Amino acid sequence: MSTPYAKLPGWVEYGLVPLINLAVAFIVAGLVVLLVGENPFEAAYHLINGAFGRGEYIGFTLYYATTFIFTGLSVAVAFHCGLFNIGGEGQAYVGGIGVALACLWLDQTMPWYVVFPIAIIGSAFFGALWAFLPGWLQAKRGSHIVITTIMFNFIASSLMVYLLTRVLKPLGSMAPQTRTFAEGGQLPKLDWLLSIFGLNIGTAPFNISFLLALAAAFAVWVLIWRTKLGYEMRTMGHSPSAARYAGIRESRITVIAMMISGGLAGMMALNPIMGEQFRMQLDFVQGAGFVGIAVALMGRSHPGGIIPAAILFGVLYQGGAEIAFEMPSISRDMIVIIQGLVILFAGALENMFRPAITRVFAMRGQRAAAVVQTKGA
């Protein structure tokens, strides 16, 4: 998407600006902690220790990050096409149906490495299908993508309640969930990966879907910056009129971008359903679709930025739980406030410091040009 300010060097755009926003967010969060009578430095210690202090903590941090990589990539793909897909929550819900159906069908007869690819296809297909209609309405009827995707979130939530209470719930069970999957529907942990560094993940559900998330990030990079389709999407995002002048079919690109975005959001369901719960439950998404918006904004819609941004939010989730445990006066609601401040400065106020940074680099450029002219004279 187009930016309202002068172009900055890549390391400033994708590194310095997000770091400044993040630093300000944590400073303000520290002031909030101070107001409730606690030491902000102690809270910061528990945050970092709770996220990285032990192998098990790291496993939980990367488990959360896996989910946020998928939803962040989903939002980023839509961003590049000039679309604001707020429907990641609903698309992940419906993607979970594809995962659950694959596992319920094959978990007792096939090993996980056969079920997993089918579940990937199912989750991406169902997620893309759920994003198709908002994309089509935007392309053909001019319905605003934000409104339709929000509406579809509520529809997906109601659909999930119906399926888990009327269709997929085992006989005799009162809980709104599917039966527990057999071994074929359970993803192996990545304990061997952290054991290379001498770490034991313990009970953390850090699983092989993390590798899939990294592969998806690379695939999105190739799609956006190395393919004709990606060029057409970026052209649409920067200037729809220029795209139309170049012969790019606006409706086609809009629908395709939304379906890719929905497919990525749907794949998020693999992590909690096959990697942790081994069943499909209500509320398995737990707000990850909305967190993906902040992840995409902080990562500047680039896979190279989305991965560390997702890890950051994994730190906030896992480390925040440690803060709430070690410092009882800081409730879980306070942790949500800290997360909200990061989202505020990384999202809504992302351009707050950009004019000043742009002026600094413009002055540096002018000075460098003056020095060159002086030497030339």
Side-chain angles (χ1 to χ4, degrees), residues 267-286:
M267 290 167 65
M268 164 265 158
L270 294 160
N271 190 35
I273 292 179
M274 292 188 71
E276 181 195 14
Q277 301 166 1
F278 309 132
R279 63 177 69 88
M280 186 170 70
Q281 300 173 321
L282 280 178
D283 298 329
F284 70 85
V285 180
Q286 296 183 333

Side-chain angles (χ1 to χ4, degrees), residues 63-74 88-96 99 116 119-120 122-124 127 187 207 209-210 212-213 216 261-277 283-290 292:
Y63 165 76
Y64 293 126
T66 301
T67 295
F68 300 146
I69 290 173
F70 282 119
T71 55
L73 291 172
S74 168
E89 195 86 357
Q91 290 148 20
Y93 265 129
V94 177
V99 177
F116 188 41
I120 292 172
S123 62
L187 294 180
N207 60 81
S209 63
F210 175 72
L212 178 64
S261 177
L264 288 165
M267 290 167 65
M268 164 265 158
L270 294 160
N271 190 35
I273 292 179
M274 292 188 71
E276 181 195 14
Q277 301 166 1
D283 298 329
F284 70 85
V285 180
Q286 296 183 333
F290 297 115

Side-chain angles (χ1 to χ4, degrees), residues 4-366:
Y5 301 104
K7 186 174 179 61
L8 294 169
W11 68 272
V12 177
E13 178 72 31
Y14 299 107
L16 182 61
V17 172
L19 283 176
I20 291 175
N21 290 334
L22 182 62
V24 173
F26 278 114
I27 290 172
V28 177
L31 294 176
V32 173
V33 172
L34 200 60
L35 286 175
V36 299
E38 291 289 353
N39 186 341
F41 295 102
E42 182 183 357
Y45 167 78
H46 288 305
L47 178 71
I48 301 302
N49 183 66
F52 300 112
R54 292 168 48 186
E56 186 173 13
Y57 299 162
I58 296 174
F60 274 104
T61 299
L62 294 178
Y63 165 76
Y64 293 126
T66 301
T67 295
F68 300 146
I69 290 173
F70 282 119
T71 55
L73 291 172
S74 168
V75 175
V77 168
F79 273 172
H80 281 293
C81 195
L83 303 169
F84 197 2
N85 179 17
I86 309 186
E89 195 86 357
Q91 290 148 20
Y93 265 129
V94 177
I97 298 174
V99 177
L101 291 179
C103 293
L104 293 172
W105 175 36
L106 297 171
D107 64 330
Q108 296 178 342
T109 57
M110 296 291 178
W112 72 267
Y113 51 82
V114 174
V115 179
F116 188 41
I118 298 174
I120 292 172
I121 295 171
S123 62
F125 174 77
F126 277 79
L129 189 65
W130 200 249
F132 166 77
L133 193 53
W136 184 87
L137 290 171
Q138 166 83 18
K140 298 295 187 180
R141 294 292 181 264
S143 302
H144 202 290
I145 201 74
V146 171
I147 303 300
T148 53
T149 50
I150 288 176
M151 291 170 60
F152 269 62
N153 284 341
F154 288 101
I155 297 172
S157 178
S158 300
L159 175 64
M160 189 62 59
V161 171
Y162 172 78
L163 290 175
L164 289 178
T165 56
R166 301 292 183 88
V167 180
L168 299 176
K169 185 181 70 171
L171 292 175
S173 173
M174 296 297 292
Q177 62 187 30
T178 66
R179 65 168 174 82
T180 302
F181 303 145
E183 189 173 348
Q186 303 180 13
L187 294 180
K189 292 185 178 182
L190 284 181
D191 47 357
W192 58 269
L193 182 61
L194 293 186
S195 67
I196 296 175
F197 306 97
L199 300 172
N200 180 12
I201 67 171
T203 60
F206 179 46
N207 60 81
I208 201 170
S209 63
F210 175 72
L211 301 181
L212 178 64
L214 297 182
F218 177 74
V220 167
W221 176 80
V222 172
L223 168 68
I224 299 298
W225 282 279
R226 291 295 184 271
T227 66
K228 176 186 174 184
L229 177 60
Y231 174 78
E232 292 174 340
M233 290 168 57
R234 286 185 289 122
T235 304
M236 277 289 302
H238 281 286
S239 176
S241 59
R244 287 191 293 269
Y245 182 78
I248 297 173
R249 292 175 54 194
E250 183 176 358
S251 59
R252 168 180 167 270
I253 296 300
T254 298
V255 172
I256 290 176
M258 278 301 297
M259 291 184 70
I260 295 173
S261 177
L264 288 165
M267 290 167 65
M268 164 265 158
L270 294 160
N271 190 35
I273 292 179
M274 292 188 71
E276 181 195 14
Q277 301 166 1
F278 309 132
R279 63 177 69 88
M280 186 170 70
Q281 300 173 321
L282 280 178
D283 298 329
F284 70 85
V285 180
Q286 296 183 333
F290 297 115
V291 175
I293 298 172
V295 170
L297 289 170
M298 177 167 284
R300 294 299 184 270
S301 298
H302 191 290
I306 286 172
I307 293 173
I311 293 174
L312 168 66
F313 276 89
V315 169
L316 291 175
Y317 267 63
Q318 173 59 23
E322 184 72 8
I323 291 177
F325 178 77
E326 295 291 343
M327 305 175 74
S329 59
I330 300 180
S331 65
R332 190 66 188 173
D333 293 333
M334 186 70 68
I335 304 304
V336 175
I337 291 175
I338 296 174
Q339 295 169 356
L341 287 170
V342 174
I343 294 173
L344 176 67
F345 283 95
L349 301 179
E350 66 166 329
N351 291 320
M352 184 169 66
F353 302 105
R354 189 183 295 271
I357 296 172
T358 301
R359 285 195 296 270
V360 169
F361 279 88
M363 291 173 58
R364 287 183 58 184
Q366 292 171 358

